[in-house]
Amino acid sequence: MDGVNVLFENMDRIHTTEMGEERIRKNLGLGDVDAVDWCRSAIMKKDAQIFRQGKNWYVRSCGCVVTVNASSYTIITAHREKENGKTGF
């Protein structure tokens, strides 16, 4: 769990690009909701499952998977979990 603390300690650095914001909103059906704020909230949920694989953090929370680059803290994408629950972890 110590590795996950690195992600929590850098919550203020989590961001995305303009295109990333649009992609996340579309993938999750967020409408006008701030995608970065939504993702930060999802990451902070007590039941969030978080792990690091290679250069990315993967967070399963709120029925979605959020992918965050581990060095730049850029949210790469977020998408709803598949109906069969498979997300790659």
Side-chain angles (χ1 to χ4, degrees), residues 9-25:
E9 291 168 2
N10 288 284
M11 287 300 287
D12 61 323
R13 293 182 58 198
I14 293 177
H15 67 283
T16 194
T17 63
E18 188 175 317
M19 283 178 44
E21 177 101 14
E22 292 173 23
R23 179 175 48 254
I24 294 164
R25 275 198 213 124

Side-chain angles (χ1 to χ4, degrees), residues 45-57:
K45 296 268 186 200
K46 284 191 180 264
D47 62 347
Q49 298 174 332
I50 304 170
F51 85 99
R52 182 173 173 175
Q53 182 176 350
K55 63 181 183 173
N56 295 326
W57 288 102

